[in-house]
Amino acid sequence: MRHLAALGGLLFLALAAFSQAFQPPTEFKSGYTLPATTAPPPRADWLAWMDVGLLALALCLAAWLVLRKRSRVGVLLLTIGSLLYFGFYRHGCVCPVGSVQNVALAIADPGFALPVTVGLFFLLPLLFALVVGRVFCAAVCPLGAAQEVVLLRPIKLPDWLEHALGVLPFVYLGIAVLFAATGSAFLVCKYDPFVLFFRFSGSSVMLTVGIGMLLIATVVSRPYCRFLCPYGALLRLLAPLSRWPVRITPHTCVNCMLCHDACPHGAIHPPTPEEKLPRREGKARLIGLLMLLPALIAASAFLARQASPAFARLHPTVRIAEQVSLHSAGLLPGETNEVMAFEHAAGDAGILYEQARVIQRRFDRYSWYFGGWIGLVIGVKLLALALRRRRTEYEIDQGACLACARCYPSCPVTADGLPEVKQPEGSAR
Amino acid sequence: MADGKATTRRGFLTHALRGLGVLAAGGAAAALARAGEEGTVWQIDPNLCISCDKCATECVVRPSAVKCVHAHALCGYCKLCFGYFESESIPDELAGTGAEFQRCPTDAIQRRFVEDPFYEYRIDEARCIGCALCVRGCTAYGNGSLFLQIRHDRCVNCNECAIAVACPAQAIRRVPADHPYLLKKTEAAE
C-alpha cells in the first residue's frame, strides 16, 4: 500500500513538472471549447441476464426435445441455433466450459469477484445434468455444436483408446483449476480450439489446432467434448445421477444392437458375455488396486510438487520477478519490456521478489492437490475397469451419453416414439 | 435393478447423491447471491502503460479494441506535437504535415488549427490500431494527454484478456462495469 502511494506521488510530481512545461491553454480567444473525451459504455448488464435466460430456455428446450419429443432433427436445429447465438453472436464467451476457471479462482481468491451471471452459467447445466442428463452437451454448448455440424461419418474407437482418452478431461480439469486458482492463466479459454472461428481471429497455432480438431471431428464424433472438455468431466460425474435420463426402450430390449451401432460416442454398452472371471481372482485384483490407490496418489502428488517451480512460471508476477532478477544480475542481453515497465513504475525489487515467493508457496500447495487429483483419477479409472458390472441387455452409460438423440430412430421397439410417457422407476436399466 | 417400487441399494445411493448434488448447487447459488457482484470489464491503467505495441497485436479483435484516447483538458495544443510528428528533429518551420513526418502509421490523428499558436489533435478511432506510437511520443516529450484505453464498443470482454496476459507492465486489470474507463484527468479534477 505504501509502495502504491509512493508510486502515485511520483507520477503526480512527474505530471506536475510536465504541465508546467506545456501549460494547457485555459481559454481560447476564438471561443473554442474543449471536445469531451468519449467513453462508449460496455455491454449492458441486463444483456448478461438475458444470456442466462436464453441458456436456461435452451436447456429446457433441449431436455424437452431429447426426452419428450425424442426428435433428432429438433436437437440438431437447436444445436445450430446455439452455435449461432452463443457461438458466432456472443463470440463463445462466457460459456459454462470456461466458467469453471472463474469459479475456481473465486473460491481460491476471495478478492476475485464472481459475477452472479457467470456463476449461473456454471451452475445451470450442472443442475440440468442432475435432472435430465447432459442435455447441455446435446444442443446448447457452442463448442459441441461446432463439432456436431461437421460430423460426416462417425467411426467407433476401440475400447482401450476410449478408456485411455476418457481420463484426459479429468486431467485437463485439474490443470485448468490449478492455473485458474493460482490466478496465473485461464488455459481453457486460451487453448479453446473453436473460439477463434466464432471471432474470426486468433493465433496461427490455435487455428491449426482448431482446423485439426474439426478434421478429426468429421470421423470421430465430438473429440473435444469426449476427450478434453473439463466441464464435460464434471457433467460426466453428475449425469449418472440424473432423475430422468435418456432411455431408448423402457420395456423390452430385444438386444438387436442397432442403438449400439447408431451411437457415435461409445455410450451404449453391449451385454456382458456369460462366462465370468472367477470371483476370487476379481476380488484379489480389486483389493490390490485399492491398496495401490493411496500409493498412486502419493507418488503423483510428489511428482507434481517437484514440478511446482515450473508451473509457477506461468504466473506473470513470477515471470517478471525472474526477469528483473536476471537483469539486475546482468544476465539479460538487453532490457526487456517487462524490466522497462518495472523501472518505469519505479517498483521495489524486494517487494516484487516477496510477491513472487508468496505465489510460489501457493503453487507448492496447489501442486500437491493437483498431483493427488491426477493420482486419484488414474486410480479410480483402474478400479472402474476392474469392477465389471453384469449387463443382460444394451445399456446407456449416462456419463458418456451426450443426449444427441441419434439412437432413438434406430430402436425397433420405440422408433415411433415411446408407447407411454410415464415409466415405472428403474425399469429401463 | 428390481422392477416396481422396490428400492435397491444402487437406486438409493443414486437418489441420495442426486439430492446432495441439488443441495450443493442450491448452497452455491445462495452463496453467489450473497456475494452478488456485478460484472467487470477489462481496462488499461494509463499510469502503468509503457506504450509497447502489444495492444495492437495481441487483442482477439482485429483491429484491436484498444484505441488511443485524447484527454483534451491535458493537451498543450502545441504546434510541434510529439504525438503527431515523427521525431523531435522536425525543423522549426515545420516542413509539413505529410505522412512522412507523421508518427501515426494509419493517419488516425487529425490536426486542426484553432488559433495562434494552438492546434487541436483529434483521434479518428476508426483508423486507430492501438499501436501506442503517439502515446509514446506524447508521454516522453509532452503532457501525456494521449493514452490507450480499451473501447467497450469493440471489446468482447473475454474471460481472459489476451492483451492482459501479454502486457509486460501488468497494466490491464478488471474494473467495475459501471466505471469502465480509467481516464487521465487534470490536476483540478483529481
Side-chain angles (χ1 to χ4, degrees):
Chain A
M1 227 31 241
R2 200 193 303 158
H3 170 64
L4 270 179
L7 192 68
L10 258 171
L11 279 166
F12 182 79
L13 279 178
L15 203 67
F18 276 131
S19 357
Q20 266 170 0
F22 301 99
Q23 191 65 50
T26 44
E27 57 184 42
F28 294 89
K29 288 188 286 292
S30 57
Y32 169 84
T33 48
L34 293 183
T37 308
T38 58
R43 196 164 177 267
D45 226 23
W46 67 269
L47 283 169
W49 282 100
M50 191 184 77
D51 285 344
V52 174
L54 280 174
L55 176 75
L57 188 73
L59 284 168
C60 291
L61 200 58
W64 180 72
L65 285 170
V66 172
L67 300 175
R68 278 294 179 93
K69 286 288 281 183
R70 296 169 70 92
S71 158
R72 171 64 197 152
V73 178
V75 170
L76 198 59
L77 286 178
L78 182 59
T79 302
I80 292 170
S82 304
L83 181 64
L84 291 179
Y85 185 78
F86 292 110
F88 287 103
Y89 176 67
R90 291 294 301 124
H91 299 294
C93 210
V94 72
C95 70
V97 180
S99 71
V100 173
Q101 305 162 108
N102 302 54
V103 172
L105 179 54
I107 293 172
D109 175 8
F112 176 79
L114 183 73
V116 180
T117 48
V118 176
L120 286 175
F121 257 79
F122 174 74
L123 278 179
L124 277 177
L126 294 178
L127 267 177
F128 269 76
L130 279 174
V131 183
V132 288
R134 295 174 70 170
V135 290
F136 170 72
C137 305
V140 185
C141 177
L143 305 183
Q147 301 162 77
E148 189 74 59
V149 294
V150 298
L151 180 63
L152 296 174
R153 207 184 165 78
I155 53 168
K156 278 212 188 301
L157 294 182
D159 272 356
W160 62 268
L161 192 60
E162 183 101 35
H163 282 303
L165 292 176
V167 179
L168 288 182
F170 296 94
V171 176
Y172 197 17
L173 178 66
I175 296 174
V177 169
L178 170 69
F179 288 107
T182 48
S184 313
F186 279 14
L187 294 183
V188 178
C189 299
K190 192 171 178 181
Y191 297 113
D192 181 332
F194 307 115
V195 78
L196 81 176
F197 297 120
F198 302 150
R199 291 172 178 157
F200 295 111
S201 88
S203 70
S204 51
V205 177
M206 283 325 289
L207 182 67
T208 317
V209 173
I211 291 177
M213 195 69 95
L214 285 184
L215 282 180
I216 297 173
T218 56
V219 287
V220 178
S221 184
R222 307 261 201 137
Y224 185 82
C225 309
R226 287 154 76 197
F227 307 129
L228 273 177
C229 181
Y231 195 68
L234 292 178
L235 292 171
R236 177 183 280 265
L237 292 178
L238 293 185
L241 307 174
S242 60
R243 180 72 179 79
W244 294 285
V246 166
R247 288 164 183 184
I248 304 170
T249 166
H251 299 306
T252 36
C253 177
V254 292
N255 280 340
C256 66
M257 199 177 165
L258 289 173
C259 59
H260 177 258
D261 290 345
C263 179
H265 306 126
I268 299 177
H269 297 315
T272 43
E274 277 306 307
E275 74 271 29
K276 287 197 304 184
L277 210 63
R279 206 178 161 75
R280 180 187 291 269
E281 196 180 309
K283 221 175 203 169
R285 191 197 284 179
L286 204 62
I287 289 171
L289 279 172
L290 271 175
M291 301 217 318
L292 184 70
L293 189 61
L296 205 58
I297 292 174
S300 136
F302 176 77
L303 279 178
R305 172 64 184 80
Q306 300 308 302
S308 163
F311 293 154
R313 293 189 60 189
L314 244 76
H315 196 287
T317 305
V318 174
R319 254 194 335 248
I320 291 171
E322 192 178 79
Q323 292 212 2
V324 169
S325 81
L326 281 177
H327 177 74
S328 61
L331 292 171
L332 276 187
E335 196 176 54
T336 59
N337 275 338
E338 280 78 3
V339 174
M340 203 170 78
F342 182 71
E343 284 172 354
H344 162 82
D348 182 335
I351 294 174
L352 180 70
Y353 296 156
E354 181 53 35
Q355 282 171 343
R357 269 194 295 274
V358 169
I359 293 164
Q360 180 63 60
R361 276 199 292 275
R362 200 185 307 154
F363 261 99
D364 292 347
R365 195 169 72 243
Y366 282 107
S367 293
W368 282 116
Y369 304 152
F370 168 66
W373 168 253
I374 300 296
L376 183 72
V377 164
I378 296 172
V380 168
K381 182 75 203 179
L382 291 176
L383 272 172
L385 284 176
L387 276 174
R388 285 275 159 85
R389 269 187 66 220
R390 247 173 62 78
R391 286 183 298 266
T392 54
E393 52 190 43
Y394 282 87
E395 273 182 23
I396 299 181
D397 174 356
Q398 292 297 341
C401 174
L402 298 179
C404 67
R406 278 194 184 85
C407 51
Y408 292 149
S410 70
C411 181
V413 183
T414 59
D416 304 322
L418 285 184
E420 59 201 83
V421 177
K422 288 241 178 236
Q423 313 304 334
E425 159 67 1
S427 56
R429 294 289 174 99
Chain B
M1 239 188 196
D3 282 328
K5 297 259 185 252
T7 308
T8 58
R9 185 165 41 175
R10 197 180 176 78
F12 174 77
L13 266 176
T14 312
H15 277 302
L17 277 173
R18 185 190 314 127
L20 265 179
V22 173
L23 273 181
L32 262 179
R34 200 160 42 82
E37 289 287 345
E38 271 329 305
T40 53
V41 290
W42 298 101
Q43 195 48 272
I44 301 172
D45 186 338
N47 293 326
L48 294 178
C49 171
I50 58 159
S51 48
C52 64
D53 59 352
K54 295 272 190 238
C55 286
T57 56
E58 300 294 324
C59 185
V60 301
V61 180
R62 302 282 160 83
S64 176
V66 174
K67 302 284 176 194
C68 177
V69 167
H70 198 181
H72 289 274
L74 282 175
C75 179
Y77 285 79
C78 311
K79 189 175 185 184
L80 181 54
C81 168
F82 295 115
Y84 182 72
F85 286 110
E86 171 60 48
S87 79
E88 55 203 294
S89 61
I90 296 274
D92 223 19
E93 276 317 304
L94 294 180
T97 57
E100 70 269 38
F101 300 113
Q102 289 184 20
R103 201 178 268 270
C104 179
T106 57
D107 190 24
I109 308 182
Q110 286 156 5
R111 182 180 201 251
R112 194 173 69 88
F113 175 70
V114 180
E115 63 184 59
D116 198 45
F118 300 131
Y119 283 81
E120 182 202 69
Y121 299 89
R122 278 197 198 223
I123 308 293
D124 182 355
E125 281 199 14
R127 290 183 177 175
C128 178
I129 55 167
C131 69
L133 284 176
C134 59
V135 176
R136 192 176 294 183
C138 180
T139 313
Y141 309 112
N143 287 0
S145 62
L146 293 171
F147 54 95
L148 293 182
Q149 285 287 282
I150 292 173
R151 305 304 269 172
H152 293 299
D153 48 347
R154 293 185 54 78
C155 175
V156 293
N157 198 17
C158 300
N159 215 6
E160 180 181 60
C161 174
I163 319 173
V165 175
C167 178
Q170 294 189 283
I172 299 184
R173 60 168 194 261
R174 285 193 166 277
V175 298
D178 47 355
H179 291 94
Y181 291 93
L182 298 168
L183 300 175
K184 281 190 176 177
K185 300 260 168 55
T186 55
E187 287 160 50
E190 262 178 306

